[in-house]
Amino acid sequence: MGVGASGALGNLLDEARRRSFVGRAEELTAFRTALAAESRARPVHYVHGPGGIGKSTLLRKFAQEARHNRRQVVEVDGRTIEPTPQGFAEAVGTESREPGTVLLVDTFERCQGLENWLREQFLPGMPRTSVVVIAGRRPPDPRWLSDPGWSDLLLITALRNLPPDDAARFLSLRGVRSEAHEAVLSFTGGNPLALTLAAPLAADEHGSPDWAPSQDVIFTLLTELLGALPSPEHRAALEICAHAHVTSEALLRALMGEASGQLFAWLREQPFIEATSTGLFPHDVVREVLEADLRWRDPEGFAHMHRRVHEHLFQQVRAASEQQMLLATSALLYLYRKEAMANFHKWREGTSVFDSPCTIADRDDVLRLAEESEGVESAAICRYWLDRQPEAFRVYRSAESGDIVAFFAWLRLTGRQGCGADPVMEDAWAYAEAKGPLRPGEHIGVARFSVYPDRYQRTSAPMDLMHWRILGEIFRADRLAWTFVVMRDNGYWTDYLNHFGMPAAPSRPVVGEHLYALFCHDWRVDPVRPWLEARSDAVLSAAHGMQQAPSSSSVKAELVVLSRPEFDAAVRDALRALRRPDALAHNALSRSRLIIESGDDLADVLVHAINAVQGGRVGGKRNQALTVTYVSGSLTQEAAAAQLGLPFSTYRRHLSGGIADVCDRLWHCELTGRPMTAADGG
């Protein structure tokens, strides 16, 4: 049983605690209501939350409040009692039976087995004027809620992190200058224990905006927040959960195999894990300390885990339905939250608006927003594209009012559409055709309008959704040659888009009174996978604070974009040089998408293509002609014909047909990005 502080030192201690306490206004109001025995009061409070969330601090504040109201206070700590009914009864003593007593039970998770006895026998025997607060890491048993007798007597509170204003006040009271608040709050997420540990360190650094937690702080938080973990597999599951925005059982299964079901169920039970409709995520400070510890303790392990999570989420984007595309894309991009993207994306703001297709009924609102933000001329161009590609437009509605507040268009174009009507598209087509004209089946994607009048082309919830859609469309596209992101030419997005390999084209088209910039990327020269892996390398470099060796597939090569005649000529040259590696190294195909994206040697790709020439009336004969001529390496075509026992003219016909077949197969792979593999060869 605890007793109140007494004497001069105890009074000083209580006064210091009173001055330093911040927040918890709702919890204090409910407790004061119970002390006053008001009609709406609930005499039993069950407070739960993870370690370090401030349960013990809140109970000390409750004790101060109760004593100030001249109540008898009995304090019990689950760590120090025998977890039996007799041990609990002895700990609370006879004082708990006195009218008006306030019973405060801390660390209840250490004696959780008493919960049923407490609910059914002990608490019903307490005086009517008693107030009871139970605090522990685990939520209460569902039987509290299913019992109608407790519905008017019990208040359940899931204790959360301090909100930003309260957390900032906490730091100020401990001498942390305002310049360091953002860095400290970003790490702690408002967790009281993390704030307590970080505050003296940040105060010593005189308010540095670059404050970062020490390893001692991280270790202390891990120990307190997580406790002892059952196994290395449980820790790995936690680290995946900390890295991903939301963790589903499918993600765990992809990375951890058969144990995923049990690990997911275990994660779900942890007090520092929250559940949503799409999966689980940890409290902010748990996410931060797990990530920081793994990066410091095992950089290679962190990199390996990051790349596996990244690949799974990338495949989810590719496979997602249209309705799920934005959610899947945002989950992938969340892995880059520590990189430059963090300055332009606010993952928590997306709920203020929602994305939906533009309907005929939305046209007037879209045109009004275009004219309001960009002028009459731009609104006319917007009308032009609405008439021709209405499916390209998306509108963003306020989650509160349902009104359209922004719109966006992602145009898919295969020819010189828009020239003569849209100056922006004239410049886009001119630039693309000068650099690398479209080949059959290819298209360009243009983010033509990004309109949100309240914060025109500035970071905001609608702009986040627009950028997620741009990247989602890029990641999912087949035969996408170029993208152009059209922005007002004011420099706001220049560094950001340059960082992501999307520099502005030289021209600056004019619409009405405004100049626009065309930020562009040729995905045939720098394909999606190497581009994304280069971004991952930047994340890992930033995470380790050192130069990260790039993954083997992300080493950038200068790709060439070949026309069909150029491509066929290169295939013929490569076949003739198949047995000469030095000559193959200088062949244009070695710098094509066909080879760079597959990661295979040009010689292997050619052999796979030759082996794939099978079937049909003449397939086998063509394969034999190709194999004897190029793979086996006959000295002359005459010798090859003789080896096959064919007239020279017949041999030449089979060889010519086989070469055309190889060219067709490889050209298809070049356009689609699908590698030619051994499986294609049977």
Side-chain angles (χ1 to χ4, degrees), residues 250 310-329 332 471-478 529:
H310 188 281
E311 177 60 22
H312 176 80
L313 295 180
F314 178 74
Q315 294 301 334
Q316 293 294 103
V317 174
R318 295 279 296 173
S321 66
E322 173 64 28
Q323 292 74 21
Q324 294 296 314
M325 184 188 78
L326 282 186
L327 185 64
T329 303
L332 176 63
L471 290 170
E473 295 285 1
I474 290 170
F475 299 157
R476 291 157 62 88
D478 291 323
R529 279 189 176 276

Side-chain angles (χ1 to χ4, degrees), residues 124 237 271 287 313 339 360 390 395 432 439 441 452 481 493 556 586 592 595 659:
R287 187 190 293 280
L313 295 180
E339 207 214 2
I360 294 176
V395 294
R439 301 175 298 188
Y452 178 42
W493 293 99
K556 181 142 182 208
H586 293 90
S592 69
I595 301 303
I659 292 171

Side-chain angles (χ1 to χ4, degrees), residues 327-340:
L327 185 64
T329 303
S330 68
L332 176 63
L333 298 181
Y334 187 76
L335 301 183
Y336 299 93
R337 64 192 181 275
K338 298 293 185 182
E339 207 214 2

Side-chain angles (χ1 to χ4, degrees), residues 96-109:
S96 66
R97 300 300 176 180
E98 297 293 326
T101 296
V102 173
L103 173 61
L104 305 175
V105 182
D106 198 5
T107 327
F108 186 60
E109 70 274 5

Side-chain angles (χ1 to χ4, degrees), residues 234-244 290-291 294 297 305:
H234 289 80
R235 187 181 190 93
L238 265 178
E239 289 165 349
I240 292 168
C241 191
H243 193 52
L290 277 167
E291 283 241 300
L294 180 59
R297 176 172 48 83
M305 182 267 291

Side-chain angles (χ1 to χ4, degrees), residues 461-474:
M463 286 297 291
D464 276 0
L465 296 179
M466 293 174 196
H467 286 182
W468 295 350
R469 181 162 290 279
I470 291 170
L471 290 170
E473 295 285 1
I474 290 170

Side-chain angles (χ1 to χ4, degrees), residues 420-602:
D422 186 349
V424 169
M425 291 313 307
E426 288 188 16
D427 284 13
W429 280 116
Y431 186 79
E433 291 176 349
K435 290 289 186 178
L438 298 191
R439 301 175 298 188
E442 293 180 341
H443 69 280
I444 68 172
V446 183
R448 178 60 185 90
F449 298 99
S450 302
V451 175
Y452 178 42
D454 285 358
R455 284 181 56 80
Y456 179 74
Q457 295 191 354
R458 292 294 188 267
T459 51
S460 62
M463 286 297 291
D464 276 0
L465 296 179
M466 293 174 196
H467 286 182
W468 295 350
R469 181 162 290 279
I470 291 170
L471 290 170
E473 295 285 1
I474 290 170
F475 299 157
R476 291 157 62 88
D478 291 323
R479 302 197 184 186
L480 175 63
W482 285 91
T483 56
F484 291 91
V485 178
V486 182
M487 291 290 182
R488 187 74 56 80
D489 184 29
N490 54 22
Y492 184 78
W493 293 99
T494 301
D495 290 343
Y496 173 77
L497 291 170
N498 280 339
H499 178 79
F500 290 105
M502 295 184 180
S507 64
R508 295 292 186 270
V510 179
V511 178
E513 299 178 354
H514 303 295
L515 286 171
Y516 290 87
L518 297 173
F519 296 94
C520 53
H521 189 94
D522 186 344
W523 296 103
R524 302 165 302 179
V525 171
D526 187 11
V528 165
R529 279 189 176 276
W531 181 85
L532 269 175
E533 288 166 356
R535 309 279 78 76
S536 281
D537 289 338
V539 169
L540 297 173
S541 296
H544 304 157
M546 59 186 181
Q547 189 65 31
Q548 172 75 15
S551 58
S552 60
S553 58
S554 67
V555 177
K556 181 142 182 208
E558 185 65 29
L559 272 67
V560 297
V561 180
L562 300 171
S563 66
R564 181 61 194 263
E566 293 170 331
F567 186 88
D568 286 356
V571 171
R572 293 175 184 276
D573 289 343
L575 286 170
R576 287 192 289 269
L578 184 57
R579 296 168 60 82
R580 292 185 287 120
D582 56 332
L584 282 182
H586 293 90
N587 188 282
L589 290 181
S590 65
R591 292 180 287 116
S592 69
R593 179 186 188 187
L594 169 72
I595 301 303
I596 297 301
E597 283 207 56
S598 72
D600 292 333
D601 291 334
L602 176 53

